Amino acid sequence: DIFKDVDSGTKLQKDGLEAMLDFVEDGLIDVVLCIEQDRLSRLDTVKWEYLKDILRENYVKIAEPGCITDLSNEDDEFVSDIKNLMAQRSRRDLLRKMMRGKRQYTREGNVWGRQPEEYIYFPETGSLEINEERSWIIPFIDELYLEFKYGTTRIAKELNKRCKTADGKMWTNQQVLLKLRRKAYHGVLEKKFKTETITEPDVYPKL
């Protein structure tokens, strides 16, 4: 059979992989053929050992173009372990490069990913527009908080009289607090990365 997953090689719980392992344990497979071993696994060491054990116990080999790996052979298993470690390292390098690119993209004043509901984001062009249907929420919250001195719980009650959240749920005081704290409504793009926080002014239309 053909087993396919459109998912990360670092995950063990995947429909295609689990179906293949069911076939293995039922004695229906002698060889797992993949274009490269990292298409089968980029699992961490513990999960990789689990996968190898299932294949080894059922006398199943891993085949790649020009190479067949017999996991019951210590030398073959050693080479297979090295390949898995290299696949893990390759993935980490790729993620580092992606994050480096995202940090630079952010420093240039570009937005990406999910945006506040008060804005419409066009990923094709990277541009933003005010969402007129939801943009009234921020000045409404500001007025109640700054002029009428309402607390967040009371503001949430007032919002619930007028609309629900973008997810169709009732407003809570925590959601109001997040709106009050979010710098995007002052025009500021702020992204927190593991090693730094990047802040760029005058990116969002101010609300």
Side-chain angles (χ1 to χ4, degrees):
D1 209 335
I2 296 173
F3 304 94
K4 183 186 296 186
D5 286 303
V6 184
D7 209 335
S8 171
T10 63
K11 295 181 181 179
L12 187 59
Q13 282 74 36
K14 296 182 290 188
D15 291 343
L17 182 58
E18 289 181 344
M20 187 199 78
L21 293 178
D22 287 342
F23 272 51
V24 168
E25 293 181 320
D26 288 341
L28 301 173
I29 292 179
D30 298 309
V31 175
V32 174
L33 173 63
C34 46
I35 192 167
E36 289 182 0
Q37 183 183 287
D38 68 356
R39 299 301 87 198
L40 175 65
S41 164
R42 291 186 176 189
L43 298 170
D44 63 36
T45 303
V46 174
K47 293 175 182 175
W48 172 236
E49 289 296 328
Y50 170 80
L51 177 59
K52 281 195 307 178
D53 284 345
I54 294 177
L55 298 177
R56 185 190 301 110
E57 289 169 5
N58 290 277
Y59 308 103
V60 175
K61 298 179 176 64
I62 300 173
E64 308 166 72
C67 175
I68 296 179
T69 302
D70 182 353
L71 294 171
S72 63
N73 179 291
E74 288 187 3
D75 291 339
D76 279 10
E77 183 183 11
F78 176 74
V79 172
S80 190
D81 288 343
I82 294 297
K83 287 180 179 179
N84 194 63
L85 288 171
M86 292 298 291
Q88 291 182 47
R89 180 173 180 176
S90 174
R91 177 179 176 273
R92 288 195 297 269
D93 287 344
L94 178 62
L95 289 175
R96 276 198 295 269
K97 289 175 182 177
M98 287 174 60
M99 292 311 297
R100 191 182 305 133
K102 284 185 175 181
R103 290 197 298 272
Q104 182 58 34
Y105 192 69
T106 303
R107 288 190 194 97
E108 293 170 359
N110 297 302
V111 300
W112 47 272
R114 187 174 180 180
Q115 299 299 317
E117 61 183 297
E118 294 82 9
Y119 300 102
I120 300 172
Y121 173 55
F122 300 94
E124 302 84 8
T125 60
S127 59
L128 288 164
E129 287 184 6
I130 292 175
N131 181 357
E132 300 295 345
E133 292 183 3
R134 304 293 287 183
S135 60
W136 63 270
I137 292 172
I138 301 307
F140 180 73
I141 290 174
D142 285 349
E143 182 181 25
L144 295 181
Y145 184 73
L146 295 171
E147 295 186 23
F148 292 91
K149 309 300 180 185
Y150 284 11
T152 54
T153 300
R154 192 172 178 184
I155 293 173
K157 288 180 179 178
E158 293 299 321
L159 282 168
N160 283 323
K161 294 177 184 177
R162 292 161 175 80
C163 71
K164 292 184 178 181
T165 67
D167 297 325
K169 298 178 181 178
M170 301 296 285
W171 289 91
T172 66
N173 66 316
Q174 286 299 314
Q175 289 168 320
V176 173
L177 192 59
L178 286 173
K179 296 287 186 188
L180 287 167
R181 289 177 172 172
R182 194 153 201 168
K183 295 182 179 180
Y185 306 128
H186 300 273
V188 178
L189 168 62
E190 182 177 86
K191 284 283 186 180
K192 294 184 179 180
F193 296 89
K194 189 175 181 180
T195 56
E196 64 178 319
T197 298
I198 297 175
T199 303
E200 295 294 331
D202 302 321
V203 173
Y204 289 87
K206 296 179 181 180
L207 296 176

